Amino acid sequence: MYCISRPLMINIEPYFRGKSFDSTCERYKLTDDMMIGLVIEVLLGYNLTIVSSIKTHLQSLVNMKPEELASKVSVSYGGKSNRITVPNEKITAEEDYSGFLSFHCFLYPDIKWC
């Protein structure tokens, strides 16, 4: 996940306008998120800042404690093998296959359906 300033976006726009993005990804054999990082750091020479409070769908959430998840700016779901595990006796695994509903209830326990 990236937070990109407007001036930086103007600089990277030529790489991503129209079909340029797809062809640039294909040329370097990278996924879209990796390609954005490559353009910013390698082709344009900017340094990206790593922010540990942002989690992407590529990072495992399985073994993270609810308290640790609550301190994150962003949490992305990457499929059933990357399920958030937060105990909740009121919600079944079938109702909450991703774990986000239980996580929401962990953050906001006063909601009546939690």
Side-chain angles (χ1 to χ4, degrees):
M1 176 181 281
Y2 300 97
C3 181
I4 300 171
S5 69
R6 184 175 183 83
L8 178 56
M9 192 60 213
I10 290 168
N11 285 337
I12 65 175
E13 182 183 9
Y15 293 93
F16 304 133
R17 185 181 293 137
K19 295 187 178 192
S20 295
F21 183 69
D22 291 339
S23 62
T24 304
C25 289
E26 288 175 21
R27 184 176 337 127
Y28 290 96
K29 307 280 190 249
L30 293 173
T31 59
D32 55 356
D33 53 347
M34 296 297 293
M35 190 64 232
I36 292 170
L38 182 132
V39 167
I40 293 170
E41 287 208 326
V42 177
L43 300 180
L44 296 175
Y46 293 93
N47 293 320
L48 291 171
T49 302
I50 297 172
V51 179
S52 63
S53 59
I54 297 176
K55 295 292 177 194
T56 76
H57 65 282
L58 300 174
Q59 293 172 299
S60 178
L61 303 173
V62 174
N63 295 318
M64 290 184 74
K65 295 177 181 167
E67 297 79 16
E68 186 180 357
L69 284 169
S71 70
K72 303 303 174 193
V73 172
S74 173
V75 178
S76 297
Y77 173 61
K80 290 187 178 184
S81 63
N82 196 18
R83 185 180 189 284
I84 294 174
T85 307
V86 179
N88 188 317
E89 295 174 6
K90 294 182 180 180
I91 302 170
T92 66
E94 291 78 29
E95 295 172 308
D96 189 18
Y97 60 88
S98 68
F100 271 97
L101 186 57
S102 296
F103 180 51
H104 178 80
C105 289
F106 172 79
L107 295 174
Y108 306 101
D110 295 334
I111 294 176
K112 64 180 177 179
W113 49 267
C114 287

